[in-house]
């Protein structure tokens, strides 16, 4: 047995939660008005309201402890999937874990009757150590359940016509693939176009005029699955994953004759990446900083926007140049070494001071 945030948990062979990550769990950055993350979450909500008034409900879940069933089993994530490993996720014990994505909350909201919603929260993954990876980060998940009737009736004007020829080609291709659960490809295409128009609308609200690239990808709970990247400082940055939810995941009433009368899409967007791009924040660890010189740069603004409407740009505050101190360790060639375990030790001992840990293969 052990104590975690004033509650008792049974420990077992899966338990691998560390004090470092527990410290992050109590920070609740989405409730901190000075955090660019909470400001971004507010901007996402106002963008949805402006673009599609009264269509979506907004939720936030501040308790990242979920069951393994919720995070993995119910989302059809196979037993051998790497994300289930103790090397990748934080377990309280065999049954409970820190959510690795906000997808873990989709089913409960659908069961409560919500059809179109966004939900934000903190998520946790054991990860590498560098400027863009941190074991705790934030996601907003969006879901929309579309009735087939609605899709076929509204078709043309229901869609804000944002898809260019490349996107339409990609969506057509994604709808052609075999073993799709919805056999009406036409309606599937409409649902994907609706998903695309929502995400495209949101990204353009956030970034203004930006290059967006879409491609097909894989998630166990969606089919087809797509991801979107935005072009920033000479490279493409992945900002979200999305797709059509598999039918067993969608929690919505069936027709009287037992037929499925809806298609649902979902997306998951990472807040840190977007805030880093918008505000030129060079290191993901800054979001967790208690230093007023970070936070004070974002307070007072209108949702971190200048009166001009442009995002506030972060100004580095240290008067000292960075120092490099390299430390190397050698590992025997025959070992079951997993880098995430070393990262965890580094974090426990040096908290967030270590910039980068790299595994270099010898000759
Ligand atoms: N949960 C996925 C992730 O964290 C993102 C996603 C959400 C993909 C919804 C598809 C649909 O990477």
């Amino acid at each position: 047995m052990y104590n975690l945030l004033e509650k008792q948990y049974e420990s077992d062979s899966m338990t691998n939660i560390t004090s470092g990550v527990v410290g992050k769990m109590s920070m609740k950055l989405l409730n901190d008005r000075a955090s660019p993350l909470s400001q971004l979450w507010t901007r996402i909500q106002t963008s949805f309201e402006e673009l599609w008034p009264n269509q979506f409900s907004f939720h936030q879940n501040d308790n990242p402890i979920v069951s393994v069933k919720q995070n993995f089993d119910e989302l059809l994530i196979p037993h051998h999937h790497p994300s289930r490993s103790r090397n990748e996720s934080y377990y309280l014990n065999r049954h409970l874990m820190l959510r690795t994505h906000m997808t873990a909350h989709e089913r409960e909201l659908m069961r409560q009757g919500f059809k179109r919603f966004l939900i934000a929260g903190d998520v946790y993954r054991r990860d590498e150590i560098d400027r863009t990876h941190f074991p705790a980060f934030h996601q907003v998940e969006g879901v929309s359940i579309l009735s087939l009737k609605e899709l076929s009736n509204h078709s043309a004007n229901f869609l804000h016509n944002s898809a260019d020829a490349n996107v339409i080609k990609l969506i057509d291709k994604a709808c052609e693939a075999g073993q799709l659960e919805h056999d009406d490809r036409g309606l599937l295409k409409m649902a994907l176009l609706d998903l695309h128009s929502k995400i495209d609308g949101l990204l353009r609200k956030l970034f203004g005029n930006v290059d967006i690239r879409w491609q097909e990808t894989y998630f166990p709970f969606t089919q087809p699955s797509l991801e979107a990247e935005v072009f920033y400082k000479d490279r493409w940055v992945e900002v979200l994953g999305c797709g059509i939810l598999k039918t067993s995941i969608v929690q919505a009433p069936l027709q009287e004759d037992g037929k499925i009368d809806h298609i649902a899409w979902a997306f998951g967007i990472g807040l840190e990446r977007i805030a880093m791009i918008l505000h030129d924040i060079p290191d993901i660890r800054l979001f967790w900083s208690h230093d007023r010189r970070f936070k004070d740069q974002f307070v007072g603004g209108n949702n971190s926007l200048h009166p001009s409407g442009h995002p506030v740009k972060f100004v580095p505050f240290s008067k000292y140049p960075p120092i490099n101190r390299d430390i190397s360790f050698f590992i025997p060639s025959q070992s079951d070494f997993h880098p995430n375990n070393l990262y965890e030790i580094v974090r426990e001992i040096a908290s967030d001071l270590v910039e980068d840990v790299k595994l270099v293969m010898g000759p």
Side-chain angles (χ1 to χ4, degrees), residues 67-237:
S67 65
V68 173
K69 202 167 147 203
Q70 247 180 308
N71 196 79
F72 290 136
D73 302 346
E74 292 184 343
L75 297 172
L76 313 174
I77 296 176
H79 281 280
H80 57 266
H81 196 275
S83 63
R84 287 192 184 243
S85 139
R86 286 176 80 242
N87 292 325
E88 304 255 336
S89 298
Y90 291 100
Y91 286 89
L92 280 70
N93 54 40
R94 251 177 320 131
H95 305 292
L96 293 175
M97 63 183 301
L98 300 187
R99 61 191 172 206
T100 61
H101 52 179
M102 290 305 286
T103 312
H105 295 285
E106 281 182 0
R107 287 167 52 98
E108 77 201 43
L109 281 169
M110 288 191 260
R111 247 183 263 126
Q112 289 166 30
F114 293 102
K115 287 203 155 58
R116 293 195 178 132
F117 57 83
L118 302 190
I119 175 164
D122 43 336
V123 301
Y124 297 81
R125 293 182 196 174
R126 297 184 78 200
D127 225 330
E128 327 159 29
I129 297 187
D130 64 29
R131 288 161 181 275
T132 55
H133 292 92
F134 198 70
F137 57 103
H138 295 79
Q139 283 189 332
V140 169
E141 186 90 5
V143 169
S144 180
I145 306 179
L146 307 154
S147 81
L148 297 187
K149 229 202 248 142
E150 198 175 18
L151 274 178
S152 44
N153 286 349
H154 296 270
S155 51
N157 52 356
F158 164 78
L159 300 165
H160 143 103
N161 213 346
S162 58
D164 62 24
N166 281 337
V167 171
I168 293 185
K169 214 156 102 197
L170 176 74
I171 289 179
D172 277 337
K173 189 165 149 264
C175 292
E176 269 165 29
Q179 296 189 342
L180 290 174
E181 293 188 338
H182 295 279
D183 36 58
D184 189 330
R185 307 275 150 109
L187 292 183
L188 196 61
K189 182 174 169 186
M190 299 295 295
L192 276 171
L193 282 169
D194 181 50
L195 167 63
H196 172 269
S197 76
K198 297 292 185 289
I199 290 172
D200 190 77
L202 173 68
L203 293 178
R204 291 193 191 285
K205 269 264 180 216
L206 295 177
F207 291 108
N209 208 356
V210 73
D211 279 331
I212 304 171
R213 178 166 88 174
W214 289 79
Q215 54 204 25
E216 268 192 90
T217 184
Y218 170 81
F219 297 106
F221 34 89
T222 50
Q223 195 188 26
S225 307
L226 301 174
E227 67 188 14
E229 297 171 310
V230 300
F231 195 69
Y232 173 70
K233 291 208 170 151
D234 302 330
R235 63 190 186 104
W236 289 99
V237 183

Side-chain angles (χ1 to χ4, degrees), residues 313-361:
K313 292 294 179 195
F314 171 69
V315 184
F317 50 74
S318 175
K319 58 181 192 229
Y320 302 107
I323 16 170
N324 293 321
R325 293 269 186 282
D326 289 340
I327 307 175
S328 314
F329 301 94
F330 294 89
I331 45 167
S333 51
Q334 306 286 324
S335 80
D336 57 359
F337 172 82
H338 191 293
N340 283 356
N341 294 324
L342 175 66
Y343 300 152
E344 206 65 62
I345 296 171
V346 173
R347 276 203 188 94
E348 285 286 291
I349 295 173
S351 97
D352 303 328
L353 286 175
V354 175
E355 281 255 312
D356 217 328
V357 179
K358 276 204 194 92
L359 178 61
V360 184
M361 293 299 174

